Amino acid sequence: MDATNRPLRIPPEMGVYAEKEKVFELIQKMMERLLLDRPEDPIQYLIDHLKNNNDEVPRIFLLGPLASGKRTLATMLCKQLNCIHLTMENLLSDETSALVAEAYLYKKKGQEIPSELWTKLIQEHLSKVDCIKQGWVIEAFPQTREQALMLQMAGIVPEHVVILDAPDNVLLERNPGKRIDPTNGERYHTAFDWPSDPVIQQRLVVPEGTSEEQTGKRLLDYHRNLSGIINSYSKIFKKINVDQPYVDAFAQVLTFVQSRHRNAAPHTPRILLFGPPGSGKSLQAALMTQKYGIVNICSGQVLKEAVAGKTKLGELIKPYIENKQQVPDHIVVKLLAEHLSKLDSSTRGWVLHGFPQDLEQARKLNDLRFVPNRVFFLDIPDETVFERLSLRMTDPVTGDRYHSMYKPAPSMKVQLRLNQNPKHAEENLKMRLDMYHANVQDLESFYEGVIHVNADQDPHTVFEYIESFTIKPLPKPVLQ
């Protein structure tokens, strides 16, 4: 960047680097932890924080009423995300901890463990290396607003709070079916999770608190405290209905905890639209431009404008277009680079379609540091392509487009003078489709995090889907 030239123009690669390396989010996370933990040596603390490289690890509270499936879903989450599962029971499992010994003194006296002590126990576990490196899921805590505030004051702030929800009558039916294995503390259910081993079946016992009266009291306490907990985590919680198969409930929970929250980082859309002919790339790009002011760059239109403007590159391109030959890639890339480097493209963002069409073109675009942050593939069946394009005609007098099925000509006179674009002839469409299918897999592999869109539906429905993935942060990658 040359500071002597006005106006100052920030090179596009600076924004690409900042977004790729998540510079803004990294600084924001560092400042958050610094203010929460208030270390004596801030510089060394930040160095250690960077070494841990754990900003993306899960930090989840999984809450819900009794019999809502907290243990089952928390166990599945930890297995999927490879993180540590903390429960009220295993918080008291460390016999060497002075805090655990203090907690057992309360239990021996038949007293409740104070919230302050629970907070210290959680803080002690979260300071261990496995929780720092892998992340954690805390099950069934906090249970009151007071406990939530204590955790916040101790610097324990989750990324996501999942609140399981089901009608009380469903929970009242589920709770009596609980069983517990006294030898290892494993939990089972007579209807949903019954062990196949007869030996385990015989030693299962009914846990405390499963009577109808006890269940009703616990549900009443839960509902009394729920609003306070929600107010404490109003920006990061989501209710999940668990009155459905647990596999479906787990899918919703997993989707939520892998989402990213909005932040104040500047976001400049850089969008690539791929799809077979007739998939609606031009229409979707136009809709994005109309609503958000993003620069619409169509490779075919850019070539025509260069020829019409009689630029130096236009003069090179003109013979190829006149002879209906493909313009060499290095010329197209150079022309696109001019448009992508302009100030409006760098500041407002861009949506590019029609290029690249194969892996080699994608690499050339990438080498110039024009890296998209959203890549959409508009998927439609080949039959739909033929239906959309082979029946499309143009009126040479008015320039209006008609379609034999969806928008027929208003009169026979107009119908007789309609012309078909040679590109839309069936043999040409088949050739273009074959070319697209030959390259689509390579392009999918080249770009990370591609998003497939069903384009065989109403255009505005397609636009809403593209829009949602454009303005929201992309989810975290699914861990295998």
Side-chain angles (χ1 to χ4, degrees), residues 375-386:
V375 179
F376 295 98
F377 280 81
L378 308 185
D379 300 328
I380 57 172
D382 289 357
E383 300 79 33
T384 305
V385 172
F386 285 106

Side-chain angles (χ1 to χ4, degrees), residues 119-290:
T119 301
K120 290 178 181 177
L121 283 165
I122 292 173
Q123 201 169 18
E124 182 180 62
H125 275 72
L126 296 187
S127 64
K128 294 180 180 179
V129 175
D130 54 355
C131 285
I132 293 173
K133 293 289 187 182
Q134 295 174 242
W136 41 264
V137 175
I138 297 180
E139 176 196 326
F141 198 89
Q143 298 174 353
T144 65
R145 178 172 171 80
E146 177 193 18
Q147 292 173 346
L149 294 177
M150 284 183 180
L151 290 174
Q152 291 176 4
M153 291 175 67
I156 302 170
V157 181
E159 287 287 324
H160 300 87
V161 176
V162 179
I163 298 179
L164 306 181
D165 186 47
D168 285 354
N169 62 326
V170 173
L171 300 173
L172 287 167
E173 289 176 5
R174 285 184 184 178
N175 201 45
K178 285 183 177 179
R179 297 294 183 269
I180 192 166
D181 188 340
T183 60
N184 54 23
E186 288 291 327
R187 298 185 181 187
Y188 298 93
H189 196 279
T190 56
F192 306 115
D193 187 21
W194 190 244
S196 57
D197 190 341
V199 177
I200 297 177
Q201 293 176 12
Q202 290 177 4
R203 69 180 184 227
L204 295 182
V205 297
V206 179
E208 296 181 3
T210 57
S211 70
E212 188 174 342
E213 183 181 351
Q214 291 169 320
T215 301
K217 184 179 182 303
R218 290 173 64 187
L219 281 174
L220 189 62
D221 290 340
Y222 172 78
H223 290 306
R224 186 182 297 119
N225 291 305
L226 181 59
S227 60
I229 295 174
I230 288 176
N231 288 335
S232 302
Y233 303 108
S234 59
K235 302 293 185 183
I236 57 173
F237 89 96
K238 183 178 180 64
K239 278 189 177 183
I240 304 291
N241 175 29
V242 290
D243 186 17
Q244 59 178 323
Y246 73 92
V247 176
D248 296 333
F250 174 70
Q252 294 178 31
V253 172
L254 183 63
T255 299
F256 172 62
V257 301
Q258 290 187 321
S259 65
R260 290 187 171 100
H261 300 299
R262 288 183 184 274
N263 56 47
H267 175 61
T268 304
R270 300 186 302 276
I271 303 169
L272 272 183
L273 294 180
F274 290 107
S279 58
K281 299 184 294 294
S282 298
L283 175 59
Q284 297 304 324
L287 291 173
M288 290 297 294
T289 299
Q290 182 181 0

Side-chain angles (χ1 to χ4, degrees), residues 318-327 422:
K318 188 175 180 180
Y320 293 99
I321 292 181
E322 288 178 346
N323 295 321
K324 297 181 180 179
Q325 296 177 340
Q326 184 174 343
V327 181

